[in-house]
Amino acid sequence: MGETRIGRLEASPANPSKTRPTRYAARKKIFPKRTSGNFRHFKWLVMAITLGIYYLTPWLRWNRGPFAPDQAVLVDLANSRFYFFLIEIWPQEFYYVSGLLVMAGIGLFLITSTVGRAWCGYTCPQTVWVDLFLVVERAIEGDRNARMKLDAHPWTARKLVLRATKHAIWLIIAVATGGAWIFYFADAPMLIGQVFTGAAAPAAYVTIAVLTATTYTFGGLMREQVCTYMCPWPRIQAAMLDENSLTVTYNDWRGEPRSRHAKKALPAGQPVGDCVDCNACVAACPMGIDIRDGQQLECITCALCIDACKDVMDKLGKEHGLISYATLSDYSANMAVATAGGSSTVNPSLVRTDEGKFSDSLAHFHIRKIFRLRTFIYLGAWSAVGLALVYSLLTRERLELNVLHDRNPQFVTLSDGSIRNGYTVKLLNMIPEPRTIVVTIQGLPGAEMSVVGIDLPAGRSFAVPVEPDRLKMLKIFVRQPADRLGGAAQTFKFRAEDKASFEADEYTATFSTPEIAR
């Protein structure tokens, strides 16, 4: 059979490592070629899931009863609440959100230390929306070569129609993105009607406009420039990697020296690697880099170059993995084999047997290599924070009592000689159901209390109705007869209890007397 010829794509890296500018460089247009393979399919799946979650979540309903909103995920700024399905977060419980942010940070460290910039390559919003915009661009203008020709072609009616259609769809996506965001902050079905009738709050329109502009600009116009120049993570992630971290790697120990005419070079005694210098990996890269130049901060490890190279290896009848996920330790070990311990340049004959198969001395990745001390530390910290949040959620009280003693005056002497102290008592009902809370004083012998606004005789206990998801503020006067006054500071407790749910909370208060005042 004749030699399989692989066409060479006219593709060059946008920011080659050998001539990388030290400062910002003008953007060089990138036209990523569509690829097909496992990683591309995985990116389609992740894109569908993440976009589905973002656009559809505000429309999910969750029945919380007649006294709370039925939107599953809602940031209710007007009432200072955050609803997430069966979880309701109050402002004073913002530490739950802080805990989730801490988990996200530790999780990012965990993912990066094990599989490199997988977040950037698959789930980062910038990556997801750029992928979506590229789908539109390819559908309208064609794949890489067609888009390059259209870009270089003078302006015609056809080019104008194609470009206008593309940008119009991009704007629709951008508007939908901004619109979906505001639905997280108000009842979605009601707000969408207000938006289209002009009755929504000005903040809603401003938010849509800002997010429309940023989505359109970042996803459609700037694309890889956002990752290269605006995002700090490429410069931080190097500290998260070590020799056992998986990264997308060009295995030059089997690819070099490159040759497009292997069947002519081999009889001449020239060493020939597996790379045929077809530039398929460069053409497929959405960041416009050449992975064969080694690790670069622009690489988001999306692995599309792996899919592109795999197709070429299939056509040539060679093993997959010329570009693959690999660890630095494995790569270094294989380079030592291919260079005879560093004493020569890469020699492909050193990594293969006489039968053309790979040598048994080559290192191969095994999943256990990523489970090392650093991985367990990150995983342990992440799990500890998560378990602490879950335990706190499961054991938190939904009834709170706060008491504030009057400062001026601290006490009042009544006509019969008894002493009266005033308190502001706050009952916090943190469930979306009405409750009857029994407020009782414990201690302070002989004392009675009266509640302003409740026409009942003075006593040591009162039943107070509290609306769902509301704070009830009471003005309470506590009176102690003259013959029961103590000469030292007297403390007692306010107790709030829901007899139906058996939830209770207590607060230790101080009763002031003239002796204490002196």
Side-chain angles (χ1 to χ4, degrees):
M1 294 179 63
E3 180 180 1
T4 301
R5 300 300 301 271
I6 301 296
R8 190 173 192 272
L9 296 170
E10 293 301 321
S12 58
N15 200 9
S17 60
K18 295 180 180 178
T19 58
R20 187 186 303 276
T22 57
R23 301 190 179 202
Y24 177 82
R27 181 175 186 260
K28 181 180 178 181
K29 273 194 174 183
I30 298 173
F31 302 89
K33 181 177 175 61
R34 181 170 183 174
T35 60
S36 179
N38 294 334
F39 293 105
R40 178 65 266 182
H41 295 156
F42 183 64
K43 280 177 69 68
W44 288 132
L45 177 63
V46 172
M47 184 175 76
I49 292 174
T50 52
L51 290 175
I53 290 173
Y54 178 75
Y55 288 118
L56 299 179
T57 296
W59 303 95
L60 299 178
R61 302 292 99 183
W62 188 268
N63 184 14
R64 299 186 182 90
F67 303 102
D70 63 353
Q71 187 160 310
V73 179
L74 177 64
V75 182
D76 189 356
L77 296 178
N79 296 298
S80 302
R81 305 284 189 280
F82 171 53
Y83 297 96
F84 185 81
F85 294 93
L86 56 80
I87 300 173
E88 178 184 357
I89 303 297
W90 284 60
Q92 64 269 31
E93 297 177 316
F94 193 78
Y95 52 83
Y96 288 113
V97 179
S98 301
L100 289 176
L101 293 176
V102 171
M103 287 186 67
I106 298 174
L108 187 58
F109 295 163
L110 172 63
I111 293 297
T112 303
S113 68
T114 53
V115 291
R117 291 174 63 187
W119 159 262
C120 300
Y122 298 98
T123 55
C124 174
Q126 174 67 14
T127 299
V128 171
W129 263 273
V130 167
D131 259 1
L132 180 59
F133 279 33
L134 278 172
V135 169
V136 175
E137 186 171 86
R138 290 192 184 102
I140 295 173
E141 297 182 356
D143 203 2
R144 183 174 185 272
N145 290 339
R147 300 201 308 275
M148 292 176 67
K149 290 179 182 178
L150 182 67
D151 191 67
H153 198 275
W155 282 98
T156 61
R158 177 179 177 273
K159 181 175 180 179
L160 181 62
V161 170
L162 291 177
R163 287 291 168 85
T165 303
K166 178 183 74 174
H167 286 275
I169 296 176
W170 282 0
L171 282 171
I172 292 173
I173 294 172
V175 172
T177 302
W181 179 254
I182 67 170
F183 295 147
Y184 284 89
F185 296 86
D187 183 67
M190 179 182 68
L191 182 57
I192 193 171
Q194 293 176 342
V195 168
F196 282 106
T197 58
Y205 296 106
V206 172
T207 302
I208 293 174
V210 171
L211 290 180
T212 296
T214 53
T215 304
Y216 173 78
T217 303
F218 294 163
L221 304 181
M222 295 184 66
R223 294 184 181 176
E224 77 288 343
Q225 299 291 85
V226 174
C227 304
T228 303
Y229 296 105
M230 295 176 63
C231 180
W233 188 240
R235 292 154 181 84
I236 298 173
Q237 58 102 16
M240 300 292 105
L241 301 176
D242 59 25
E243 66 276 4
N244 291 312
S245 301
L246 274 176
T247 57
V248 174
T249 305
Y250 167 62
N251 296 306
D252 47 3
W253 52 265
R254 63 166 280 197
E256 300 296 322
R258 308 171 197 173
S259 175
R260 293 187 49 75
H261 306 286
K263 291 198 173 181
K264 293 181 180 179
L266 287 173
Q270 300 175 5
V272 175
D274 287 347
C275 180
V276 295
D277 201 20
C278 63
N279 282 341
C281 54
V282 181
C285 181
M287 297 298 294
I289 67 170
D290 189 343
I291 191 63
R292 297 171 297 181
D293 290 338
Q295 288 296 314
Q296 299 156 68
L297 67 85
E298 293 91 348
C299 179
I300 59 174
T301 66
C302 63
L304 294 181
C305 54
I306 297 178
D307 284 340
C309 187
K310 175 178 173 291
D311 288 341
V312 175
M313 293 297 104
D314 284 339
K315 293 176 182 177
L316 295 173
K318 296 183 178 181
E319 301 92 337
H320 300 160
L322 178 57
I323 303 176
S324 66
Y325 270 102
T327 64
L328 179 60
S329 60
D330 289 344
Y331 170 82
S332 299
N334 292 338
M335 276 296 289
V337 174
T339 60
S343 61
S344 67
T345 58
V346 174
N347 186 348
S349 64
L350 297 177
V351 300
R352 292 186 182 273
T353 64
D354 294 338
E355 292 78 21
K357 296 183 179 181
F358 284 121
S359 169
D360 293 336
S361 60
L362 293 175
H364 299 280
F365 172 74
H366 192 278
I367 190 67
R368 66 173 179 270
K369 293 183 179 181
I370 67 174
F371 291 103
R372 54 202 189 279
L373 180 60
R374 173 184 285 195
T375 306
F376 289 117
I377 290 174
Y378 286 144
L379 184 60
W382 184 85
S383 300
V385 175
L387 290 173
L389 291 178
V390 171
Y391 175 78
S392 179
L393 277 171
L394 294 177
T395 59
R396 64 178 179 165
E397 296 290 341
R398 301 285 76 199
L399 173 64
E400 287 189 7
L401 170 67
N402 288 289
V403 180
L404 180 64
H405 193 292
D406 288 355
R407 297 180 60 86
N408 188 22
Q410 290 189 349
F411 64 91
V412 173
T413 303
L414 301 179
S415 58
D416 60 357
S418 60
I419 301 299
R420 188 183 73 186
N421 283 204
Y423 303 88
T424 300
V425 176
K426 298 178 181 179
L427 300 174
L428 190 58
N429 177 18
M430 302 174 70
I431 64 172
E433 297 176 7
R435 285 171 138 179
T436 298
I437 307 300
V438 178
V439 180
T440 307
I441 55 173
Q442 297 178 340
L444 208 62
E448 295 179 329
M449 66 176 173
S450 57
V451 182
V452 177
I454 297 181
D455 188 17
L456 290 173
R460 293 181 65 86
S461 180
F462 287 96
V464 180
V466 183
E467 295 179 351
D469 257 339
R470 287 293 181 269
L471 172 69
K472 180 82 169 184
M473 190 176 297
L474 303 173
K475 183 65 178 179
I476 294 181
F477 292 111
V478 177
R479 182 184 67 85
Q480 188 175 34
D483 60 350
R484 305 300 292 270
L485 294 175
Q490 300 180 81
T491 60
F492 69 101
K493 290 183 178 180
F494 282 100
R495 178 179 174 83
E497 183 178 8
D498 179 5
K499 299 292 186 179
S501 65
F502 302 104
E503 284 187 284
D505 195 15
E506 294 181 347
Y507 187 95
T508 301
T510 302
F511 189 83
S512 300
T513 65
E515 289 76 13
I516 297 174
R518 288 197 299 270

